[in-house]
Amino acid sequence: MKINDYKVLIFDCDGVIFDTNKLKVLAFHKILDNYDKSHVDQFLSYFSKNFGKSRYIHVRHFIENILKIPFDDRLYNQILQDYSHECQLLYKEAEICFGVIDLLRISENHIKYIASGSDQTELREVFKRRDLDHYFESIFGSPISKNDLVKDICSNHPNDKILMIGDAKADLIAAKLCEIDFLYVSKYSMDNKNMKKLSRTEEFSTVIDLSEIVESF
């Protein structure tokens, strides 16, 4: 893959920009610690296989499909609030994924976006605090779905070649729906086994980390 063939680069955040996937699993584990262990284990397994989707979807799934209780607004909002607090703490210390800074620096002629399942307000604060926001045209996140975020970005660049860079099936799906190319970053993925299988049938490019892209410039 030649990165210079593309004008627009769309990055996922967790597992692509920040090494936060495992930290987010631990964050959910912490805030759900008072629930039955079997329910928590079931949810964490589901969550690990569905990175890239919005936390709003995950929490609703926990209430309706794992706890199997009528939807409770109070409980829903409390879990979201607790999880948001944990995410704000982890983003302060999270490592930046290998190769990211070098790629951002040398791709100054590319238009770059973030399209993430993480909360948009939270993301924009994090990128500003970590002095990364200036690399991107804009930073987008939930509650708007990743599919819609990528679709909106693509609609603003109808004549440009676009690449989606992600580490999860949700990123691949968004790219396929918009008929753009997809690059899978495997090093930090929580669903590597499944993504490796998909790479054989969907024929997308794969790198271990973004340093491989830097070397290809």
Side-chain angles (χ1 to χ4, degrees), residues 67-78:
L67 295 182
K68 295 182 179 179
I69 60 176
F71 186 76
D72 183 331
D73 272 323
R74 183 197 60 78
L75 176 60
Y76 174 75
N77 289 319
Q78 185 62 58

Side-chain angles (χ1 to χ4, degrees), residues 17-187:
I17 303 295
F18 291 111
D19 181 12
T20 43
N21 285 340
K22 291 181 181 178
L23 295 177
K24 288 198 165 184
V25 173
L26 292 173
F28 261 128
H29 189 281
K30 179 179 179 180
I31 66 171
L32 300 176
D33 190 51
N34 58 322
Y35 291 93
D36 184 271
K37 184 178 183 302
S38 64
H39 288 152
V40 176
D41 289 345
Q42 185 181 348
F43 173 74
L44 295 181
S45 176
Y46 151 83
F47 179 54
S48 298
K49 295 174 182 176
N50 286 276
F51 264 93
K53 292 184 179 180
S54 163
R55 67 185 61 175
Y56 304 94
I57 293 174
H58 295 315
V59 175
R60 181 176 287 273
H61 178 85
F62 177 68
I63 294 171
E64 295 182 339
N65 300 316
I66 295 180
L67 295 182
K68 295 182 179 179
I69 60 176
F71 186 76
D72 183 331
D73 272 323
R74 183 197 60 78
L75 176 60
Y76 174 75
N77 289 319
Q78 185 62 58
I79 294 175
L80 286 173
Q81 181 180 324
D82 292 345
Y83 181 65
S84 176
H85 175 72
E86 291 299 321
C87 286
Q88 289 172 37
L89 294 176
L90 68 86
Y91 272 126
K92 289 181 180 179
E93 305 296 334
E95 296 288 337
I96 296 174
C97 295
F98 194 67
V100 166
I101 297 300
D102 288 339
L103 177 56
L104 293 177
R105 285 174 176 167
I106 66 177
S107 60
E108 60 183 0
N109 293 326
H110 295 73
I111 302 169
K112 297 182 285 293
Y113 293 91
I114 295 291
S116 173
S118 296
D119 182 78
Q120 180 170 285
T121 301
E122 196 174 277
L123 281 178
R124 290 180 174 179
E125 291 174 355
V126 168
F127 274 75
K128 184 176 181 179
R129 186 166 59 242
R130 301 294 296 265
D131 194 29
L132 295 172
D133 57 325
H134 60 94
Y135 289 111
F136 298 94
E137 183 76 12
S138 196
I139 297 165
F140 298 118
S142 63
I144 299 174
S145 73
K146 179 166 293 187
N147 292 345
D148 286 340
L149 293 175
V150 174
K151 181 180 178 180
D152 288 344
I153 293 170
C154 291
S155 68
N156 289 326
H157 299 276
N159 301 314
D160 293 323
K161 194 169 183 182
I162 303 172
L163 176 67
M164 177 78 200
I165 303 173
D167 71 323
K169 187 177 180 180
D171 305 313
L172 170 63
I173 290 172
K176 285 178 66 64
L177 287 173
C178 294
E179 299 182 329
I180 61 174
D181 290 342
F182 174 65
L183 175 66
Y184 171 57
V185 184
S186 67
K187 185 172 183 176

